[in-house]
Amino acid sequence: MRLASAEIIHKRLLGFLIWQFLNSSAVFIIFRALLLPLLASSSPSPTLHGLLAFLPFNLATLLFSLSLIAVSTPHYQPPASPLELLIGLFRLLILSGDSSPEFRSRAKVSLGFLLVVTASAISGSLAVASICWVDSDGVLVLGFRGFSIGFLYGLYFVYTRRWVLQFPIIQRPAFFSFKMGVASAVSLALKLACVAYLLSALLVLALPDYPKGWMSFGKFRSGQLVFYFGSFAVIFCWEISHHLHKILLTKRAIFAPPKGSAAAETNPSEPLIASLEESSPGSLLQYLAYLDMSLVCESNVDVWRRAALFEETGETYKTVVSLSLRPLEQLASSISEVIETTSFDKASQLSRQLQSTSDMQLSSKVHACFDNFQLHAWCARTIASLTARSHDEDGFGVAQLSGSNAATVSTLVSCLLAVETFMGKKTHLQNPRLLGAAGIKWATVNTGRQATTGIISRQRNVTVHSKAYAMADLLRTSIYSIVTAFHKEMLNGAKSGALDKDWIINTKPPYGTRDLLSQKLRLFLDYRAC
């Protein structure tokens, strides 16, 4: 679907609300028409009760969907703690001081969490009371138990970070992706309904009027069955809404004019570049643009769009490479800052470890390095694929003449060195004559800083290690794809002494030194980098 970049998000959100309404209506009708007469001891009037309960049930699910839209983001953003919120509020009201942009951003995330928990609690109260309503007795109890279920589900939603959009590795049709997620939604809804049922039952025992609503064992049993399956239906609607939201917002968007149009013949890359440059950092539109660019450079689906990147002037190619290298340079710089702040000698190591505050700050900085892991992965794959394909598809030689090849390889190798140092791998410059098969493996760090142990090995509670190892593997694969495509040229350059001139930048890299990058590149050239 080829749409203007400004309309993509609005169209998808509108489509999500429409499909959410259809799914919640189908669940409500099936439960009220088929299951409720079998579970309830006294069969209610389907017409009267159905019409009165249909509207509040859909309003409740709509409220949850709107809160889901409000808090969802393509990358993790750290929230502010309750203490930080109190201090910020005190400064704002008493001291009349202006808070920092970082604090405002974190406070906004925390308020978003409060919004989704509150919306889930209100939605649960209305939805459970509507779908389980049989008679006037016990409506308040149903509302209270539904409120507790929604509150617990909101806490679970926030704690498991389900508000972070996960882009699928393989782009499938929307209907197929939806069908694949229904089984997992049913399974999770059954588990959550069991837990929520037990916890809400414990809470409702504190109500003094609760036993008066159940005068017989048969009525009590039927009421519990209605409540359990009704709570399952509500949680299932929430799970389906979350699943639909993720599918519709993370599917690929094509930032290009229709093939064969006048715009496609003149400048087909203009919508993509405009979306990358004009979208706000970390926004969903920016992520969709980077995803589209990665698929164009890697796959053979839109070959005409990739061919347009190698236009004669070279401006389009340089712009795309620059936009792809910028996030990787920021990643290397942020890791370098973390390494610098954690460099200390053995005399101060014990005192630093005893400071819980510094450990918390270090943990937050470590998490911040890989918050945009998905974006960094797309950028690395984009520039690696584009550089490798330029060997055969760049008819004007814009990749080599613009110096983009050297910038690409230098940034990838520099970023890899930063990630490896972050993980605890120790590298330093060695004499080329003494560089054996083990090479760089058993060396110690020497990048102008004091020796440091791996940050991940010292921060045992940090869950970011999997992303660091995945990022290192992705960077090695990206560099090897370039080396494989230009292996003959790189070997000739290494023999003539022109390897560093052609593939390493003259300026200071984001991390490491120029000599260290050159040595690492030679290991890739010999297929010994691991």
Side-chain angles (χ1 to χ4, degrees), residues 171-220:
Q171 290 287 326
R172 299 185 178 94
F175 177 76
F176 182 79
S177 300
F178 174 77
K179 182 179 66 174
M180 293 293 292
V182 171
S184 61
V186 171
S187 176
L188 184 58
L190 286 172
K191 297 176 183 178
L192 294 178
C194 290
V195 176
Y197 171 80
L198 295 176
L199 294 177
S200 64
L202 294 177
L203 291 175
V204 84
L205 288 177
L207 296 177
D209 297 335
Y210 174 70
K212 299 178 182 179
W214 310 103
M215 302 305 296
S216 63
F217 176 75
K219 188 175 182 180
F220 174 80

Side-chain angles (χ1 to χ4, degrees), residues 298-316:
E298 286 187 288
S299 64
N300 290 324
V301 178
D302 296 327
V303 181
W304 63 279
R305 293 183 60 191
R306 187 171 64 240
L309 300 178
F310 301 103
E311 48 92 15
E312 186 174 1
T313 62
E315 294 298 326
T316 303

Side-chain angles (χ1 to χ4, degrees), residues 24-327:
S24 61
S25 299
V27 171
F28 179 84
I29 293 173
I30 292 174
F31 181 85
R32 296 288 301 191
L34 299 180
L35 292 180
L36 190 59
L38 300 177
L39 300 174
S41 59
S42 59
S43 179
S45 174
T47 304
L48 178 61
H49 283 73
L51 292 177
L52 293 178
F54 180 78
L55 181 59
F57 180 82
N58 281 280
L59 288 178
T61 54
L62 176 62
L63 176 62
F64 174 80
S65 299
L66 293 177
S67 65
L68 185 64
I69 294 174
V71 300
S72 294
T73 178
H75 66 94
Y76 174 77
Q77 296 176 343
S81 63
L83 180 59
E84 291 176 340
L85 291 176
L86 291 177
I87 295 175
L89 184 61
F90 176 78
R91 290 178 178 177
L92 181 63
L93 297 179
I94 307 301
L95 302 179
S96 299
D98 189 14
S99 58
S100 62
E102 180 182 0
F103 172 77
R104 289 196 297 267
S105 176
R106 298 179 62 185
K108 184 179 178 181
V109 175
S110 299
L111 293 178
F113 292 166
L114 180 61
L115 171 65
V116 73
V117 172
T118 305
S120 299
I122 298 175
S123 175
S125 179
L126 290 176
V128 171
S130 301
I131 200 170
C132 299
W133 180 31
V134 178
D135 49 35
S136 58
D137 295 336
V139 175
L140 295 179
V141 175
L142 289 175
F144 176 77
R145 298 185 71 177
F147 184 89
S148 62
I149 289 177
F151 181 78
L152 294 174
Y153 183 85
L155 293 179
Y156 169 78
F157 185 87
V158 172
Y159 179 75
T160 54
R161 297 184 182 181
R162 305 189 72 193
W163 44 277
V164 180
L165 296 174
Q166 299 292 335
F167 289 80
I169 299 177
I170 301 175
Q171 290 287 326
R172 299 185 178 94
F175 177 76
F176 182 79
S177 300
F178 174 77
K179 182 179 66 174
M180 293 293 292
V182 171
S184 61
V186 171
S187 176
L188 184 58
L190 286 172
K191 297 176 183 178
L192 294 178
C194 290
V195 176
Y197 171 80
L198 295 176
L199 294 177
S200 64
L202 294 177
L203 291 175
V204 84
L205 288 177
L207 296 177
D209 297 335
Y210 174 70
K212 299 178 182 179
W214 310 103
M215 302 305 296
S216 63
F217 176 75
K219 188 175 182 180
F220 174 80
R221 181 185 61 183
S222 63
Q224 298 306 305
L225 289 175
V226 169
F227 175 77
Y228 173 75
F229 285 101
S231 60
F232 162 76
V234 172
I235 297 177
F236 177 72
C237 285
W238 290 342
E239 286 296 313
I240 288 296
S241 297
H242 174 259
H243 186 58
L244 274 173
H245 182 260
K246 180 179 65 175
I247 290 175
L248 296 179
L249 265 67
T250 58
K251 67 177 182 179
R252 180 190 180 186
I254 300 179
F255 294 85
K259 188 176 181 180
S261 62
E265 297 295 334
T266 56
N267 192 2
S269 305
E270 182 179 0
L272 176 60
I273 295 177
S275 300
L276 291 172
E277 293 178 338
E278 298 174 3
S279 58
S280 57
S283 63
L284 178 61
L285 184 62
Q286 185 191 52
Y287 269 66
L288 291 175
Y290 273 107
L291 172 61
D292 182 50
M293 183 171 63
S294 175
L295 295 177
V296 168
C297 296
E298 286 187 288
S299 64
N300 290 324
V301 178
D302 296 327
V303 181
W304 63 279
R305 293 183 60 191
R306 187 171 64 240
L309 300 178
F310 301 103
E311 48 92 15
E312 186 174 1
T313 62
E315 294 298 326
T316 303
Y317 186 87
K318 289 190 293 184
T319 302
V320 170
V321 171
S322 176
L323 292 172
S324 301
L325 291 179
R326 191 179 305 164

Side-chain angles (χ1 to χ4, degrees), residues 392-462:
D392 299 324
E393 300 179 9
D394 186 8
F396 300 101
V398 296
Q400 182 179 3
L401 296 177
S402 62
S404 300
N405 287 345
T408 297
V409 173
S410 299
T411 302
L412 290 175
V413 175
S414 179
C415 194
L416 176 61
L417 289 173
V419 174
E420 288 180 344
T421 306
F422 179 85
M423 295 187 302
K425 189 173 182 179
K426 303 176 182 181
T427 60
H428 84 299
L429 286 173
Q430 291 190 3
N431 189 341
R433 297 179 180 178
L434 303 178
L435 192 62
I440 222 168
K441 184 176 182 180
W442 301 105
T444 58
V445 175
N446 183 13
T447 58
R449 305 178 181 87
Q450 295 178 348
T452 62
T453 57
I455 297 174
I456 292 180
S457 62
R458 297 194 359 260
Q459 293 290 322
R460 297 297 182 182
N461 59 341
V462 176

